[in-house]
Amino acid sequence: MDSPDDSDADLVALMVDYQAGRLAAFEALYARVAGELQRFLAAVVRDPQVVRDLVQETFLELHRSRRTYRPPLPVRPWVFGVARNVVRRHWRESARRARHERPAPAGDAAAPAASSAALVLDLQRALDCLPPAKREAWLLHHDEGLSFKEIARRLGIGVDNAKLRSSRAMGALRALLGTRPGGPGDG
Amino acid sequence: MADARVPAELLRAVGDDLRPVRPLAPPWRRALVVAVLAVPVLAQAPLAYGWRSNIARLGPGWAWGVSIVQALVGLAVLVAALREAVPGRPLSRRALWIAIAAASAAIFAVTLGTEQALPAAVPPGVWLRYAWECWEISVVTALPIFAFAAWLVVRALPVRPALTGALLGLGVGVLVDSAMRLYCWVSAPLHVLVSHGGAVVTLVLGGALVTTAVDRWAGRRGRQPR
């Protein structure tokens, strides 16, 4: 895998070729960023099948909006910006579908989950309550293990802003889960 | 790790639609296009209804000079909105606050400064009518500029559509108000802030609503507006 900052110049050249209408450039771009995109999407969506769908949807959206990329700006923030748009729409559509779904009858309830599974579920629900920007920063740092510098580059924001988002997400999670500071640190 | 090969279906979809595209112009150049459109549109109000009756007493500095400065602030906010509209180019929190503060400061400073330079109150009995007229003319004048700028914003695929739209409305509002003050002869802060400022607020809210609505519509159709 390429390190996040190794070859933005190559990616810029690929995007220029892609905008010029070369299919090989799209294939090369896919090969270069699909893995990173998949990890990013997996960190914020979880369901592997949905992640695969969203990777494809993101590349379709990248294709439709390829003119919005302006060389020689870094490619990754643009790619991940488009991916965030795709995820945002996915969440909105999921929420809309959930509102229209009928609740399952009480008799269909699954057997009580193990406490660790319940905790994961609680965390997932708490994460779902966070604003997308904070959730992304927290997941990228705590789940994907990216440094704040890497998160900043990926999301196209400042390092301080990445720290702030993650820190505020942690505070909100603690409040939602009813835990006191002193648990897993945020830094 | 994802497979490095493009799935056949995706490759076919991209290949079928692949043609050269011209990259988006920088935000300042797109804002310049808005400015070119704005000049004849903004000239409509004073040309149709007449220049403010006390423009000679106000002097060229307070009339034209201040309006030009205010228009430049509006364009700067518009540049910020057009930059924010492109994925991967989000404005920092500080830049956002600077844009909002600059726009607000421009409106307040121009209003209070003009009142100091040449006080002119609303005649008794017509306060509401004047307020309504100025609000209406401001919003109607802004519509073509707003529509064009909104089209530029939504086609750039904003990640934060409501924020981007609000910023767009703010920029257009400040820009339009810079021309409205050449038409409306009243300088009483209450009239200017409620009526002209109300039009700016309307455009801010309208921008947020329009860009959000277009974003949702495009999301449901599974594609971006062209």
Side-chain angles (χ1 to χ4, degrees), chain B residues 100-155:
Chain B
I100 294 167
S104 311
I107 288 176
F108 275 95
V110 169
T111 302
L112 299 177
T114 309
E115 163 74 353
Q116 284 292 313
L118 183 64
V122 182
V126 292
W127 202 95
L128 269 181
R129 183 165 69 82
Y130 273 35
W132 168 254
E133 279 178 4
C134 282
W135 178 87
E136 188 186 26
I137 293 172
S138 295
V139 172
V140 170
T141 304
L143 279 180
I145 307 166
F146 177 84
F148 181 64
W151 175 70
L152 289 180
V153 160
V154 294
R155 72 201 285 259

Side-chain angles (χ1 to χ4, degrees), chain A residues 57-118:
Chain A
E57 182 54 38
T58 301
F59 274 101
L60 277 175
E61 197 63 69
L62 287 172
H63 175 68
R64 291 176 194 133
S65 55
R66 62 195 183 281
R67 66 184 299 280
T68 66
Y69 169 72
R70 284 200 304 113
L73 294 172
V75 175
R76 282 186 174 89
W78 175 75
V79 167
F80 286 98
V82 173
R84 289 167 74 194
N85 249 337
V86 170
V87 171
R88 191 167 51 83
R89 285 177 181 171
H90 163 74
W91 276 328
R92 199 166 55 221
E93 281 304 303
S94 300
R96 198 169 61 85
R97 275 197 300 273
R99 277 199 301 274
H100 289 89
E101 280 172 6
R102 282 177 302 179
D108 292 350
S115 63
S116 60

Side-chain angles (χ1 to χ4, degrees), chain A residues 19 38 63-64 67 70 89, chain B residues 17 21 24 222 224 226:
Chain A
Q19 288 177 324
Q38 181 153 344
H63 175 68
R64 291 176 194 133
R67 66 184 299 280
R70 284 200 304 113
R89 285 177 181 171
Chain B
D17 182 52
V21 291
L24 212 59
Q224 274 308 109
R226 287 281 139 254

Side-chain angles (χ1 to χ4, degrees), chain B residues 50-57 182-185:
Chain B
W51 300 98
R52 64 186 293 164
S53 52
N54 52 8
I55 196 165
R57 279 192 292 146
L182 295 175
Y183 148 73
C184 175
W185 56 268

Side-chain angles (χ1 to χ4, degrees), chain A residues 128-139:
Chain A
D128 289 343
C129 294
L130 297 182
K134 288 179 187 164
R135 176 173 45 212
E136 280 168 14
W138 190 90
L139 284 167

